[in-house]
Amino acid sequence: MRQLCNSRYVNVQEAELANAQRPDITFQNSKVTCPIPVEIKLLDKGWSGNKLCERLENQLIGDYLREADAKHGIFLLVSKHLPQTKYWIINDKRTCITNLSDELTLFWKSIAYKYPEIEQIEIIVIDMNIRAQASINHEKYSYSSLI
């Protein structure tokens, strides 16, 4: 990330914020008064839908975005080996990993009125199973084109 940023931002791992909190990663830029925190959750560790919602609200928003100038945050969820049958209950709705970002975004929108100073929360889900399958398919295609 540091090589690709082209001096537009700096990313810092576990940097301490003014309130003594330590998000997993922060993005900083001299033109922005407050760093953008990134909270990372590994879905393979068994996070429930309720716990993800609680961490989004209490950790990312409640802890990392407490500063007056803090207006943006990123909630990054990563899955490496989850089965296709895994699901979460969010907003009383059963959801799979494909829709997890959308459902957590709806949850955020349902509580956003409590945090009028927050301008944007971005929820990103990365499913490494999809990346692995794409790599396998690419290798098959590359090999078959050589024959």
Side-chain angles (χ1 to χ4, degrees), residues 17 19 21-27 34-41 47 51-67 70-77 104-105 107-108 111 115 117-118 120-124:
L17 301 177
N19 61 7
Q21 298 294 324
R22 293 182 178 271
D24 294 319
I25 300 172
T26 57
F27 289 98
C34 193
I36 298 173
V38 179
E39 179 54 31
I40 301 171
K41 296 295 179 213
W47 293 93
K51 194 64 175 171
L52 288 172
C53 292
E54 184 272 332
R55 294 287 72 201
L56 173 62
E57 182 171 13
N58 295 330
Q59 188 175 24
L60 180 60
I61 298 165
D63 287 341
Y64 304 154
L65 296 177
R66 265 194 288 181
E67 291 185 48
K71 299 187 182 315
H72 303 87
I74 299 170
F75 199 53
L76 176 60
L77 308 172
L104 284 168
T105 299
F107 169 75
W108 156 242
I111 63 168
Y115 308 96
E117 67 284 357
I118 305 297
Q120 184 177 11
I121 297 294
E122 197 65 40
I123 299 159
I124 301 167

Side-chain angles (χ1 to χ4, degrees), residues 72-84:
H72 303 87
I74 299 170
F75 199 53
L76 176 60
L77 308 172
V78 181
S79 165
K80 190 172 181 185
H81 297 295
L82 283 179
Q84 295 291 330

